[in-house]
């Protein structure tokens, strides 16, 4: 069965598990810096890593929302959307 995605719901994008998953990935990538040879464990350094993860999450979510808005705009003017082929089990 072929399905075409006509519209991406922005509120479903923002109020789902997607932001939490992005934050966890950004937090893991920020904590990978602990393996840096110049690492010194201080509270300020850890808070900087958390703030960097929050900043990366916000940047990723804003870019995702802009992509979804552009996708919805292009689909509304008549350009075909993404086709997905689903298989019944």
């Amino acid at each position: 069965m072929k399905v075409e995605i006509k519209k991406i719901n922005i509120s479903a994008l923002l109020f789902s598990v997607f932001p939490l998953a992005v934050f966890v990935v950004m937090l893991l990538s920020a904590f990978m810096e602990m393996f840096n040879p110049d690492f010194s464990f201080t509270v300020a350094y850890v808070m900087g890593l958390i703030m960097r993860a929050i900043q990366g999450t916000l940047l990723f979510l804003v870019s995702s929302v802009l992509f979804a808005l552009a996708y919805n705009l292009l689909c509304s003017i008549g350009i075909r959307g993404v086709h997905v082929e689903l298989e019944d089990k």
Side-chain angles (χ1 to χ4, degrees):
M1 169 176 43
K2 289 187 178 180
V3 178
E4 181 178 353
I5 300 174
K6 297 262 187 186
K7 183 180 179 190
I8 300 173
N9 194 354
I10 304 296
S11 63
L13 183 70
L14 290 177
F15 299 114
S16 64
V17 74
F18 180 67
L20 182 63
V22 171
F23 177 70
V24 168
V25 169
M26 291 293 177
L27 194 61
L28 288 175
S29 66
F31 279 115
M32 291 302 256
E33 285 192 23
M34 286 186 171
F35 298 109
N36 191 359
D38 298 333
F39 172 70
S40 62
F41 187 78
T42 61
V43 175
Y45 186 77
V46 173
M47 290 305 290
L49 290 178
I50 292 171
M51 290 305 290
R52 189 175 306 146
I54 291 171
Q55 181 184 19
T57 302
L58 289 175
L59 282 171
F60 192 83
L61 288 178
V62 166
S63 63
S64 297
V65 167
L66 290 176
F67 171 76
L69 287 172
Y71 182 85
N72 290 341
L73 177 72
L74 290 173
C75 284
S76 68
I77 62 173
I79 298 176
R80 293 191 321 172
V82 175
H83 289 277
V84 180
E85 188 169 331
L86 302 175
E87 185 176 304
D88 290 335
K89 291 250 176 185

